[in-house]
Amino acid sequence: MKWRYFDKIKKKWVSLKTSHEFKEEFDKQNRANKIDKEYRLKCGIHFVSLDSMSEEDRDEVMYQNSMEVRNLLTKMEREYLQSALYKQFRIELCNEIKIKFCQMKPKVRMAMYLRWFKDMSIIQIAALMKVQNWEAQALLRKGTSYIAEFLNPFPDVVWE
């Protein structure tokens, strides 16, 4: 089957050869669109372009659409966070972070553990490890750089 369409960029007609499967799929889509259009006309549903609306109506439509999208995304996020796929992801991520923790030097690992899992302040960590405050801060900075390097999805990009 030959397919012909107008290319609006080059401003000329283009012909393509397509398979019969494409024609069947295209015809099926056209039938579905025709049925949908007939149903909308029967029910009195008409589409209005945003350009023809008043500014208040346009703002209301845009707000409703953004709220619907936000609600849909929130619902999808909640479903994902309760799924087995997310639980598996969390387990794998925790295992990889444990491996990264094991690669840290013992002092860095201890400082990270005290700060993030025991929720101690830098002053408390310094006192417990018998080091200066600045040294405890440096150990934490080094530990977080290990984790940040691991979590960085774009290692070639420098974040400022």
Side-chain angles (χ1 to χ4, degrees):
M1 173 185 155
K2 272 193 160 184
W3 185 260
R4 192 165 182 238
Y5 71 96
F6 186 74
D7 187 347
K8 293 181 181 178
I9 296 172
K10 295 181 182 176
K11 301 204 184 315
K12 66 177 187 176
W13 284 94
V14 178
S15 296
L16 298 171
K17 287 185 179 178
T18 60
S19 68
H20 67 284
E21 293 149 2
F22 178 78
K23 181 183 182 324
E24 290 170 5
E25 185 65 31
F26 180 75
D27 290 342
K28 188 188 323 178
Q29 188 67 35
N30 273 348
R31 282 192 298 275
N33 287 344
K34 187 176 180 182
I35 291 169
D36 183 51
K37 186 176 181 181
E38 289 171 357
Y39 178 75
R40 282 187 279 115
L41 289 174
K42 179 181 165 187
C43 295
I45 300 171
H46 300 284
F47 292 109
V48 179
S49 72
L50 288 174
D51 296 333
S52 64
M53 290 181 168
S54 69
E55 193 164 329
E56 294 86 24
D57 292 340
R58 190 176 322 131
D59 290 343
E60 181 64 27
V61 167
M62 298 305 279
Y63 177 75
Q64 287 175 352
N65 288 343
S66 67
M67 289 302 292
E68 287 174 10
V69 169
R70 189 176 302 139
N71 291 340
L72 178 64
L73 288 174
T74 302
K75 181 183 173 200
M76 290 171 62
E77 182 179 347
R78 285 184 183 142
E79 288 172 359
Y80 173 69
L81 291 176
Q82 294 172 357
S83 70
L85 183 66
Y86 178 70
K87 290 175 184 169
Q88 182 63 33
F89 165 75
R90 287 284 308 253
I91 291 168
E92 290 172 5
L93 183 64
C94 288
N95 290 336
E96 290 179 32
I97 289 176
K98 284 178 189 174
I99 292 169
K100 205 60 169 173
F101 256 80
C102 292
Q103 293 173 355
M104 294 179 190
K105 294 180 180 173
K107 276 184 134 179
V108 174
R109 189 175 338 143
M110 174 66 101
M112 290 291 289
Y113 176 77
L114 293 172
R115 177 70 182 116
W116 302 111
F117 298 105
K118 294 297 180 181
D119 202 24
M120 290 185 171
S121 69
I122 294 171
I123 296 169
Q124 291 171 325
I125 294 170
L128 189 67
M129 294 179 70
K130 298 181 175 102
V131 295
Q132 298 289 326
N133 291 350
W134 61 267
E135 190 177 352
Q137 181 69 43
L139 291 171
L140 288 171
R141 190 177 307 119
K142 185 177 259 186
T144 52
S145 70
Y146 274 105
I147 301 298
E149 178 186 317
F150 164 70
L151 293 175
N152 186 4
F154 309 106
D156 301 334
V157 177
V158 177
W159 303 97
E160 294 180 9

